[in-house]
Structure formats: C-alpha cells, structure tokens
Amino acid sequence: MRALPPTARAFVLAAVLAAAACAAPALTDPATPWTAVVVLAALYLGCELVRVLAPTDRRAPDGLGCFFPVVMAAVFLLPPAAAALVAVPGALAQTVVQRPAGVRRVWHAAQQAVAAHLAGRVHGLLGGRGATAGPGSGAPGGTGHGADPSPWVADFPSVLLPAAAAAVVFCLVLTALDTGILAAAEGRPAADARHGLLTRSLAPHCVHGLAGLMMAVMWRSSYGIPAALLVLLPMYVSCWVFAQYHRERAAHRATIRALVQAVDIKDRYTRGHSERVGQASAMIARELGMADDRLEVVRIAGILHDVGKLGVPTRLLRKDGPLTPEERRVIELHPEYGHEMVRGIGFLGEARSAILHHHERVDGSGYPYGLSGEQIPVLARVVAVADSFDAMTSTRSYSRARPVEVALTELERCAGAQFDPAMVRALVTAIGRHGWHPVVTSDDDLQVIGAGAAAVTATASGTPAGAAAGTAAAGPAGTAAAALPAVPAQPPGLAADRPRGGGGPAPERPAPGSR
C-alpha cells in the first residue's frame, strides 16, 4: 500500500469527508461541552503518546491497536459530534509503520471519528445518555455536586444495553471501514478482506466499552473526574499484558521466518515454496470450516513442512538428474529431521505432527512410518495436498511447472490412494471460488489463476484423462511435480518424488509429490 491506487484514495477521501460531516456540528453548537471535549481528547492523546514515546524495549508492538476506553467514555458522555472530535488527536498520534504514514494517520482519525459518531447516535437512541446522567448536572463533565450530596448510583440495568450496543456498533463500523480500505487498496474480495477481522476485534472492543462505561459513570458521580481517571490504570495494565503477548507472537513469527529463509537459501529452486504451501494449506483449512486458531496452526505447518531439508546435503536438493536409491533414502529423512528440529518449540503444537507426516500416503505407502487413512494426522493430510499442488505448479531443478487446472486434475486422480479425497475437494473448491493468487512469486513459471477458472477440471475443459500423464513425462526426469511413480520393486513406505537413477522412461501416469 505504499502507492495507494485511485480507488483506495477515493475511499480515504470519502471517509475524511464523512468524518468532517460527523464532527462539524460540534464546532457550531453553543451547547458543546468544550471542557469535557478538551479533557477527554487530551487524555486520549496522552495515552497514545505514552505508547509511542516509550523506550524501544518497552514499547507496545506495532499493530496492537488503540486505547479505546477514553473514546468510548466520550461516546457515553458527550453528544455524537463532540465524541467524534475526541477521537481525532489520539488517532493522528498513533504509531504508523507502513507508508504512506500521513495518509494512514488521517485514515485512522477519520475512521475513529465516524465510528464514535455512529456509536454515540445508537447510544442516545437507546436512552443511554439519560441513564448515565449525574445528579443535579445536565452538562457532560459535571461532577455531580448539587444540593443533595448523597451518593448517586447509575441505573445499571438501563445503561448496560445502550453501552453494549454502542460498543458493538463502534466495532462494526471500524471493521467495515477496514474491510473497504483493504479491498480497495489490495484488490482483494471483500469477503477475504474482512475474514477474521470482526471475530478478532469484537471481544476487545466490548472490554474497552465496559471500561469506558465505568469511566463515564465515575465521571458523572460525586467523585468526579479524578475517580474516572483511576479506571484507566487497571485497563492500561491489562493492555501492557496484552502487549507482552503480542511481543511473544512477534518472536514466534520471527523464528518461523528465520527457519524458512534458511531452507530457501539452501535450495534456490524451492524459494517461496514454503509460503505458498502455507497459503494453500490455509485455503483448504478454511474450506473445511476449521476455526481461526487452528487455521493459523495449519498455515504454520505448511510454511515449516520442509524445515528438515536443512539436514539434507545441498548437492542432493539441487541435483538436476535422477536420484539414486541411496540418495532418496537420505532425502526421505527430512520429515524426521524437521520434527526433531522443532520438537522443542512449544508454540507449534499440532503443526509438529504435520511436519513429521506430510509425506505419508492414504494407502499406507508413504514415509517415514507408512501410516494410512485416519492414522495420518488431519493437518498432515492438508499439508500433503498443498505441498504437491505447489510442487506441480512451480518450476523445480528437475521439472517444469504444470498448469493449475492440470495439477488439480492430477490431485483428483490420486485422491484415495495418495491423498485424502476431502482435502483435495476442499482445495479444488477453494481455488474455484477464490482463484490461486500466490503470496510469493519467485518462480518464473508460477501459475496465477482467477476465481472460477480453476474449478474447471481436465474433463470439463476437454483435457483427456491421460493429458496430465503426458505433461508429466515431458520433463527430463519424467515428472512435472518431482513425483516418483509407483514401482513394483519399491518397498512400502518409500514414497516417490523423483525417478531413480538410470534415467529410464517414466510410467504413463506418475503420482504427484515433492521431495
């Protein structure tokens, strides 16, 4: 997004105009409680500056999000237009890593102003402002010191529903605007852009809304503004705890990147393969309806599935010709090498089993343990399909890339013997619906296909059933996907990637795979 496309610029401009329209009435309304507006805006700005100006080793990680309790308190205390104004200074001060920084800051300010205004509207329509009105004080920001100094308690059964509705609306507006800008800036379908945004943000926004409600109630109570500020202390502590969690996740991602880069450096022909397998694995998992947390585990498993190749001699990985039986046995140790390498990395969890078993076959002739059917872990069956798909659609030292539709047809042919049919169907459906747009395109012959086109199988497109086999035999090694055909003399458990020594002709229809 460094160079925003015209559609994204138009979207940002529309959001800025909408924010100006939301906040403008506060500038002309003589009833605007400017004291409360200034105090809350300064407080929100201060909370963001504390995060930005903290020492580097203690700074909240990028992407943590905003400190919204103050904005939510403004939603509950002020008119909608005034609440929109409160959101602007803090949003403009937020940390921005990616360029263009200025446009991103303006976008954040407009986005939060619109969300605060609409949340305030909903809160008012549901009677929330009346339920949080302090004793003897109709003005927002009043301390509640009237003729009757008796303690005042907010009507909590009445304030909870408007506050919850306002928090949900605030979250929905932010999510909708984020979805729109992602779709406009990256050209992604709106369904893909919004995937996971709402589920990840709804709970945090509700918690921030509850803290904002507590702050608003204390603000209007006889204890006044100092008590309202005390509400922020435990909330801020919880945010820092959350920041520590994000730092740990950032360290995990750095560990994964380092391992993948090491594999890519060692085998230049598979550079980018790991990320693409992770992408295809996530597509399969999403089509199968896996939860977001498990989907992330599947993606990590796909990214790290070949990490064991760090223990394989480089000359074997880069060999152009066929492998000897002894060389094959060495390469087939890489799943066990990988499992040993990541065994002590606790956060990988179920991904470790996928790394170990992604070369098992449904018919039991795979390696390293010859598992079959349901004995093979689900994640390993997912990664096996994704791995073979990318191996067939990208160029290797010993084979050229196949077209995407041919690769899908070959996967369907091998379903039930080499692959789990459910995983193959999920990949075919996902690519048919969303297309195949690899996140890493380092291979010269990498295939990119639009949604719908990939759903056409070889039969539907007029490709004969044996066409995939003809493509497979075209390369010098006899396969297009680094696949070793089933050889009668081959002992069970030795799945094939490449032809053995001798360079003889490949059988008519080899099974796909990657070494």
Side-chain angles (χ1 to χ4, degrees):
M1 278 181 58
R2 291 193 176 187
L4 288 177
T7 53
R9 292 181 182 273
F11 197 88
V12 172
L13 179 60
V16 171
L17 294 176
C22 291
L27 302 176
T28 58
D29 187 355
T32 299
W34 285 108
T35 301
V37 171
V38 171
V39 171
L40 289 170
L43 188 58
Y44 184 37
L45 175 62
C47 290
E48 293 298 330
L49 289 178
V50 166
R51 289 151 45 90
V52 173
L53 300 179
T56 303
D57 57 342
R58 297 187 178 184
R59 185 175 299 172
D62 301 325
L64 177 61
C66 310
F67 194 66
F68 285 138
V70 177
V71 179
M72 295 308 301
V75 168
F76 303 143
L77 288 168
L78 305 175
L85 283 177
V86 169
V88 173
L92 291 173
Q94 288 168 15
T95 304
V96 174
V97 177
Q98 293 179 306
R99 297 179 181 177
V103 174
R104 288 175 181 272
R105 288 193 175 94
V106 171
W107 163 254
H108 290 158
Q111 181 187 32
Q112 293 178 32
V114 172
H117 182 271
L118 294 178
R121 288 284 183 190
V122 171
H123 184 255
L125 289 174
L126 295 178
R129 294 195 66 202
T132 55
S137 174
T143 59
H145 296 291
D148 181 8
S150 59
W152 169 78
V153 179
D155 186 3
F156 264 98
S158 299
V159 300
L160 289 178
L161 178 60
V168 170
V169 168
F170 189 81
C171 176
L172 289 175
V173 173
L174 292 180
T175 302
L177 292 173
D178 279 335
T179 300
I181 194 64
L182 285 174
E186 300 178 6
R188 295 159 55 184
D192 291 347
R194 73 168 180 266
H195 181 79
L197 285 178
L198 183 60
T199 54
R200 288 194 303 266
S201 59
L202 183 58
H205 280 93
C206 288
V207 173
H208 284 207
L210 179 60
L213 177 62
M214 295 169 60
M215 184 177 175
V217 169
M218 296 304 295
W219 184 291
R220 290 277 182 81
S221 73
S222 59
Y223 298 102
I225 296 177
L229 298 182
L230 290 178
V231 175
L232 295 178
L233 182 59
M235 190 66 190
Y236 208 79
V237 171
S238 68
C239 282
W240 278 106
V241 172
F242 194 55
Q244 291 298 114
Y245 164 75
H246 273 262
R247 282 197 191 91
E248 185 176 351
R249 285 180 61 87
H252 294 168
R253 289 193 293 268
T255 300
I256 293 171
R257 280 197 303 270
L259 290 171
V260 170
Q261 287 172 357
V263 175
D264 286 349
I265 290 173
K266 186 160 188 174
D267 188 359
R268 66 180 182 271
Y269 282 102
T270 59
R271 190 162 299 159
H273 170 66
S274 299
E275 286 86 352
R276 294 192 298 272
V277 172
Q279 180 185 3
S281 298
M283 291 176 69
I284 296 173
R286 187 176 294 114
E287 193 66 34
L288 293 173
M290 293 187 182
D292 284 348
D293 54 349
R294 199 175 190 206
L295 191 149
E296 179 65 12
V297 175
V298 174
R299 190 184 68 84
I300 293 174
I303 290 174
L304 291 180
H305 74 286
D306 272 345
V307 68
K309 287 184 177 179
L310 292 174
V312 176
T314 305
R315 62 178 180 82
L316 297 184
L317 298 177
R318 298 185 178 183
K319 185 175 180 180
D320 293 332
L323 297 173
T324 66
E326 181 61 31
E327 290 172 336
R328 287 193 54 79
R329 283 192 288 271
V330 172
I331 283 185
E332 287 171 358
L333 291 173
H334 80 267
E336 295 175 276
Y337 289 159
H339 185 259
E340 287 299 317
M341 292 172 63
V342 303
R343 174 179 287 180
I345 305 179
F347 73 87
L348 291 180
E350 196 179 0
R352 293 193 292 266
S353 66
I355 293 171
L356 178 61
H357 296 295
H358 72 278
H359 276 296
E360 304 284 4
R361 294 170 54 118
V362 174
D363 61 7
S365 63
Y367 63 90
Y369 299 130
L371 303 183
S372 63
E374 296 296 323
Q375 294 177 325
I376 306 172
V378 173
L379 266 62
R381 283 179 266 156
V382 171
V383 173
V385 172
D387 182 25
S388 292
F389 171 73
D390 185 69
M392 286 189 285
T393 55
S394 54
T395 297
R396 299 297 179 88
S397 61
Y398 44 84
S399 65
R400 301 294 295 175
R402 299 187 193 186
V404 169
E405 52 271 20
V406 172
L408 293 177
T409 302
E410 187 71 6
L411 290 174
E412 290 176 321
R413 182 181 71 81
C414 297
Q418 183 172 355
F419 306 115
D420 186 332
M423 309 305 172
V424 174
R425 285 195 300 270
L427 180 62
V428 172
T429 302
I431 293 179
R433 179 180 296 123
H434 305 293
W436 175 239
H437 305 281
V439 292
V440 178
T441 56
S442 58
D443 291 325
D444 293 338
D445 291 45
L446 205 61
Q447 305 292 313
V448 179
I449 190 166
V456 181
T457 61
T459 303
S461 62
T463 304
T471 305
T479 69
L484 177 73
V487 179
Q490 181 184 10
L494 292 181
D497 301 283
R498 298 177 19 161
R500 300 172 183 245
E508 186 182 6
R509 298 175 74 184
S514 67
R515 67 179 174 201

